[in-house]
C-alpha cells in the first residue's frame, strides 16, 4: 500500500523574530536547500527577484536557504522528483489568514499486482513561525526527526495553520480516492463519536460523484487541531472551500495518515524531516 521512499525535495530555513524578506530564483540547480546563519530566506540565483511578504499579526522569523547540488527548482517552484510535479514555494490557501511556506514534497504510490503506480504528489505547507515552537528538537538529525512522533504531534497541536496540497498524477474516481483515504483514517479513530461520524460524512460528500482528473488539486488545511478545511479544483488552485470539518479526532487522524509513524507517503515525511533538521540546526 505504501510507496517506497523517494528522493524528496526539501526546503530549509533558519528562524529569527522579524518580518520576512524573500529572494526567489529564476533557476537554481538543486531541489535541496541548505541553511546558513543569515537572517533572510534566500533561494540563490544569478538573477534574483525581490519581494516582501505581507504583514501578519504573528511574529515572523527570518529565513535563509541556499541551493546545493541537483536540478529541480524553477522560479517560485520546487519539483517533486519522482512525479515531476511542481509546487509553489509559498501559497495562500482558502480560509488561511497567512501565506504558508513549502516544507517538503513526496508522492503516494499504490501497488497493483506487484507494480507500483504513482497516484499523486503532495506538498506540506507550514506557517514559518512554527519553528519557534520546535526548539526542543534543535540539533537533531533528519533520521531522528523523522522517527520522532512527539515533534510531529507538536506541529499538529500548534495553533499555526498548516496545509497539505495534493496534485493527482493520474485520473481517479472521487469515490475511489475517498475509499482509500477512509481506509487510512478509520483505523486511526478508535471509538468514533457522533461528531466524528458527521464529520466523515461531510468529508466523504466532497468526493462522491466527483471525477478527479490528472492535475486536479486537493487542499487539506488544518486551521487548528479540531478544524479542517477541504478544497478541490480541477482547474488550478482552489479559490473556495468545499467543506469545513469540525472534529478533533478526524483532523488528528488525517494528519497522522501523512505524518504519523506509518505514513501513506514516506517520501513526504522524509522530505519534511530533512527541512526541519536544517531549520533546527
Amino acid at each position: 500500500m505504501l510507496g517506497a521512499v523517494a528522493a524528496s525535495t526539501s526546503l530549509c530555513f533558519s528562524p529569527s523574530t522579524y518580518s520576512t524578506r524573500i529572494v526567489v530564483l529564476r533557476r537554481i540547480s538543486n531541489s535541496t536547500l541548505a541553511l546558513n546563519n543569515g537572517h533572510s530566506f534566500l533561494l540563490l540565483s544569478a538573477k534574483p527577484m525581490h519581494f516582501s511578504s505581507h504583514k501578519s499579526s504573528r511574529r515572523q522569523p527570518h529565513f535563509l536557504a541556499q541551493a546545493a547540488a541537483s536540478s529541480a527548482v524553477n522560479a517560485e517552484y520546487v519539483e517533486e522528483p519522482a512525479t515531476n510535479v511542481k509546487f509553489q514555494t509559498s501559497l495562500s490557501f482558502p480560509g488561511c489568514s497567512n501565506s504558508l511556506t513549502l516544507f517538503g514534497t513526496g508522492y503516494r504510490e499504490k501497488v497493483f499486482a506487484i507494480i507500483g503506480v504513482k497516484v499523486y504528489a503532495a506538498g506540506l505547507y507550514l506557517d514559518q513561525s512554527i519553528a519557534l515552537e520546535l526548539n526542543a528538537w534543535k540539533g537533531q538529525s533528519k533520521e531522528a526527526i523523522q522517527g520522532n512522533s512527539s515533534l510531529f504531534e507538536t506541529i499538529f497541536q500548534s495553533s499555526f495553520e498548516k496545509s497539505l496540497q495534493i496534485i493527482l498524477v493520474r485520473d481517479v474516481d472521487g469515490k475511489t480516492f475517498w475509499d482509500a483515504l477512509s481506509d487510512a483514517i478509520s483505523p486511526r479513530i478508535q471509538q468514533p463519536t457522533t461528531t466524528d461520524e458527521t464529520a466523515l460524512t461531510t468529508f466523504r460528500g466532497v468526493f462522491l460523484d466527483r471525477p478527479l482528473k490528472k492535475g486536479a488539486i486537493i487542499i487539506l488545511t488544518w486551521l487548528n487541531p479540531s478544524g479542517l478545511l477541504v478544497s478541490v479544483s480541477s482547474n488550478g488552485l482552489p479559490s473556495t472551500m468545499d467543506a469545513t470539518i469540525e472534529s478533533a479526532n478526524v483532523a488528528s487522524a488525517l494528519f497522522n495518515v501523512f505524518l504519523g509513524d506509518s505514513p501513506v507517503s514516506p517520501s513526504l515525511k522524509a522530505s519534511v524531516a530533512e527541512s526541519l533538521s536544517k531549520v533546527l540546526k
Side-chain angles (χ1 to χ4, degrees):
M1 171 180 171
L2 300 182
V5 176
S8 34
T9 304
S10 56
L11 300 177
C12 315
F13 318 92
S14 120
S16 170
T17 55
Y18 301 96
S19 62
T20 305
R21 180 172 68 87
I22 300 177
V23 178
V24 179
L25 72 152
R26 292 188 184 277
R27 184 174 185 87
I28 66 176
S29 61
N30 195 335
S31 62
T32 302
L33 307 178
L35 280 177
N36 68 19
N37 295 321
H39 297 286
S40 302
F41 168 32
L42 305 179
L43 299 176
L44 300 182
S45 75
K47 297 180 180 179
M49 301 178 293
H50 298 265
F51 63 95
S52 298
S53 64
H54 65 278
K55 293 182 180 179
S56 165
S57 59
R58 297 187 186 274
R59 293 195 308 164
Q60 293 290 335
H62 278 202
F63 297 90
L64 174 55
Q66 77 184 51
S70 123
S71 68
V73 183
N74 285 313
E76 303 167 61
Y77 295 85
V78 168
E79 185 175 280
E80 195 288 307
T83 59
N84 303 124
V85 171
K86 293 179 175 64
F87 290 87
Q88 287 184 242
T89 56
S90 180
L91 279 175
S92 294
F93 294 102
C96 285
S97 58
N98 297 312
S99 64
L100 303 181
T101 298
L102 182 66
F103 265 68
T105 67
Y107 66 92
R108 173 74 195 277
E109 185 177 71
K110 289 282 286 182
V111 177
F112 299 96
I114 77 169
I115 298 175
V117 177
K118 294 176 180 64
V119 181
Y120 58 75
L124 181 70
Y125 290 78
L126 302 175
D127 189 303
Q128 297 169 342
S129 297
I130 192 69
L132 301 172
E133 299 183 358
L134 303 176
N135 287 333
W137 292 277
K138 273 193 172 182
Q140 292 198 10
S141 67
K142 167 191 168 181
E143 292 74 20
I145 287 175
Q146 189 171 348
N148 194 316
S149 57
S150 295
L151 181 148
F152 285 96
E153 181 63 18
T154 297
I155 292 174
F156 171 71
Q157 293 294 339
S158 171
S159 61
F160 290 114
E161 297 161 341
K162 42 226 162 243
S163 287
L164 185 75
Q165 181 182 11
I166 293 172
I167 302 178
L168 296 181
V169 296
R170 62 188 306 105
D171 293 351
V172 179
D173 177 76
K175 182 179 183 301
T176 301
F177 181 88
W178 168 254
D179 286 346
L181 191 58
S182 179
D183 286 347
I185 291 173
S186 295
R188 291 170 164 86
I189 303 177
Q190 297 301 317
Q191 296 181 323
T193 65
T194 301
T195 298
D196 299 335
E197 295 289 357
T198 299
L200 288 169
T201 298
T202 301
F203 206 169
R204 180 173 61 246
V206 174
F207 298 101
L208 293 185
D209 302 319
R210 181 178 224 154
L212 298 172
K213 299 295 184 180
K214 179 180 179 180
I217 297 175
I218 300 165
I219 305 295
L220 305 172
T221 296
W222 292 265
L223 292 180
N224 53 59
S226 62
L228 178 70
L229 304 179
V230 184
S231 303
V232 182
S233 174
S234 296
N235 185 26
L237 282 167
S239 58
T240 59
M241 296 169 287
D242 287 270
T244 300
I245 310 297
E246 295 289 348
S247 165
N249 287 336
V250 172
S252 175
L254 183 66
F255 190 84
N256 188 270
V257 165
F258 292 96
L259 294 162
D261 292 337
S262 299
V264 297
S265 176
S267 56
L268 173 63
K269 188 175 181 182
S271 176
V272 172
E274 184 172 356
S275 291
L276 289 172
S277 71
K278 294 182 172 68
V279 170
L280 300 172
K281 268 188 176 179

